[in-house]
Amino acid sequence: MGSVWGHGSYLAPDWTADVLHREAQYLADRGGPLDELSEPEQAKRIAEVSLEIRLNTYDERTKLITVSPVRSEAIESVIQHYDMLFSESAEGEELREAYAIPNSMLSHITSDDVRALTAWWWWTAWAAGTNRPGLDITYTSNWPHEPLIQNTPTTAAFIWTFVSITLLIAGVGLLCWFFLREREEWVRDSRPVEGFGGSNPLDTVQPTASMTAVKKYFWVVAGLLGLQIILGAVTAHYRVEGHDFYGLPLSEIAPYALTRTWHVQLAVLWIATAWLGAGLYLGPLIARKEPKFQVLGVNLLWGALVGSLVGEALVLNGVMTDPTMVYWFGHQGYEYLDMGRFWQILIFAGLLIWLVLMARCVIPAIQEKRPDRSLLIILLLATAGSHFCLVLGYCMTGRAI
């Protein structure tokens, strides 16, 4: 069946694909194991299963999906499987280890929780396996791949994959050609008329209070980068030992879901922290003065950046279980930014604070009509533009405030 369904030392599956496969497998084996049938009988059985699952029975008027009794049995079998998996039963121990799900996280999970969770996964599996009205492809364009319901890549998917790869290679080639053509001219243009300086201008800079306060940002960057590397190694090792790290029961305090969450999220946070710290350090240099409350703003923003990791750890270790607390201070389940909504809002507000802190330094320098005025305008526009794109990205994905 492959790694998706946890045979061998594999990590947690794509739950949508897992639900879809298990439901289809139940229907395919209902009249006897599919593998024991002849090829023509297998083809007939798969066609029957495909018709059962791919048939769209959604009623626009009632907003309900109607399933047949046999499919209802299949759905119930999937729920029973997950009830076994997410309990502390000995029956599911091997599969939990393959999925790197520690037993210590399961004590607070009830059968109602499992049923509600499976219902959500089934809804996503329904969209992945049900044909769009009037078409022969599913709502997700036949993804994920599932041979039991004839979910295979469409012709359009192959064509656009080929087109996109071709355009990517052509674009890279065009950039290389343009760079080589213009390189010598760029080198000449970048050489100052009066020659390059003999000393570093930053050597004579007297750091202001806010510039000194920014130092903690770079210590955090170093720490987050180092932690990300370590967590990457731990997360990868869980593929070998689902519950242990070289024999140590590390998953009891740092399960796979936590190490993976932190590993992915830290990549975003240390890059963002480095970017923000650099901007805040250069701000007073550009303005040639220290704006009021700059230190307070720097410290508030630093607090906004580092507050989410504890909440995620509490949730994924089963300490924080109240749904409201989990949503606001724990783990929303998003990719890259899994943090609770409170921390998400705080970082969002922190980025606004950072934009204001930068503008307070750059705008006065622009008003002085200095020789580097054009460069400062570009810096301000780039700073505001990147922030606008980030805000737009949050809004488009439904992750804004």
Side-chain angles (χ1 to χ4, degrees), residues 83-238:
D83 199 35
M84 173 272 296
L85 176 64
F86 294 117
S87 67
E88 297 178 283
S89 66
E91 182 183 1
E93 176 59 30
E94 183 178 352
L95 194 55
R96 284 194 294 274
E97 184 172 1
Y99 289 166
I101 301 175
N103 295 322
S104 60
M105 294 175 58
L106 305 175
S107 59
H108 67 283
I109 297 177
T110 66
S111 295
D112 289 339
D113 294 331
V114 173
R115 182 171 289 271
L117 183 59
T118 307
W120 164 243
W121 288 339
W122 184 86
W123 171 251
T124 63
W126 179 88
T130 302
N131 282 344
R132 305 181 193 185
L135 297 176
D136 291 329
I137 61 172
T138 70
Y139 287 97
T140 57
S141 297
N142 292 0
W143 181 261
H145 177 73
E146 179 49 71
L148 291 177
I149 64 167
Q150 300 176 355
N151 246 15
T152 55
T154 63
T155 302
F158 280 113
I159 291 174
W160 284 109
T161 298
F162 175 78
V163 169
S164 63
I165 292 174
T166 302
L167 291 176
L168 174 63
I169 295 174
V172 172
L174 182 62
L175 286 174
C176 291
W177 168 81
F178 183 75
F179 173 78
L180 292 174
R181 194 191 76 166
E182 301 292 330
R183 182 174 182 273
E184 291 186 6
E185 184 176 346
W186 288 344
V187 171
R188 287 195 302 269
D189 291 344
S190 63
R191 185 178 295 114
V193 176
E194 63 278 7
F196 291 101
S199 61
N200 187 346
L202 293 179
D203 290 341
T204 59
V205 170
Q206 183 66 33
T208 66
S210 69
M211 292 169 67
T212 302
V214 168
K215 287 183 180 179
K216 65 170 71 71
Y217 279 72
F218 301 109
W219 285 110
V220 169
V221 168
L224 294 183
L225 177 58
L227 182 59
Q228 187 200 10
I229 294 172
I230 293 172
L231 291 175
V234 173
T235 302
H237 188 80
Y238 278 139

Side-chain angles (χ1 to χ4, degrees), residues 176-389:
C176 291
W177 168 81
F178 183 75
F179 173 78
L180 292 174
R181 194 191 76 166
E182 301 292 330
R183 182 174 182 273
E184 291 186 6
E185 184 176 346
W186 288 344
V187 171
R188 287 195 302 269
D189 291 344
S190 63
R191 185 178 295 114
V193 176
E194 63 278 7
F196 291 101
S199 61
N200 187 346
L202 293 179
D203 290 341
T204 59
V205 170
Q206 183 66 33
T208 66
S210 69
M211 292 169 67
T212 302
V214 168
K215 287 183 180 179
K216 65 170 71 71
Y217 279 72
F218 301 109
W219 285 110
V220 169
V221 168
L224 294 183
L225 177 58
L227 182 59
Q228 187 200 10
I229 294 172
I230 293 172
L231 291 175
V234 173
T235 302
H237 188 80
Y238 278 139
R239 291 185 177 274
V240 181
E241 297 179 272
H243 285 170
D244 297 333
F245 183 74
Y246 293 103
L248 299 175
L250 188 61
S251 65
E252 297 300 319
I253 57 174
Y256 165 77
L258 178 60
T259 61
R260 182 183 179 278
T261 293
W262 279 7
H263 175 68
V264 175
Q265 186 169 293
L266 287 177
V268 178
L269 291 183
W270 77 255
I271 293 172
T273 305
W275 168 261
L276 301 181
L280 293 173
Y281 189 85
L282 293 174
L285 285 178
I286 295 171
R288 298 173 181 172
K289 63 180 180 179
E290 175 86 339
K292 290 183 178 180
F293 306 114
Q294 189 81 352
V295 176
L296 177 61
V298 168
N299 291 330
L300 285 176
L301 181 53
W302 180 79
L305 285 171
V306 299
S308 67
L309 301 180
V310 173
E312 291 163 347
L314 292 176
V315 171
L316 295 175
N317 277 299
V319 178
M320 185 187 296
T321 59
D322 179 75
T324 301
M325 292 292 292
V326 168
Y327 174 79
W328 283 104
F329 301 101
H331 195 300
Q332 292 186 83
Y334 290 138
E335 193 72 46
Y336 297 110
L337 287 175
D338 302 284
M339 62 191 65
R341 181 54 60 91
F342 172 80
W343 302 113
Q344 200 175 58
I345 293 173
L346 197 58
I347 288 182
F348 185 88
L351 290 171
L352 289 177
I353 294 172
W354 174 73
L355 183 60
V356 171
L357 294 176
M358 288 294 297
R360 291 171 71 220
C361 294
V362 176
I363 291 177
I366 293 174
Q367 293 172 340
E368 293 178 9
K369 298 183 179 180
R370 291 161 26 178
D372 57 355
R373 183 170 180 267
S374 297
L375 185 60
L376 293 176
I377 292 175
I378 293 175
L379 174 63
L380 180 63
L381 291 177
T383 301
S386 62
H387 188 79
F388 171 77
C389 290

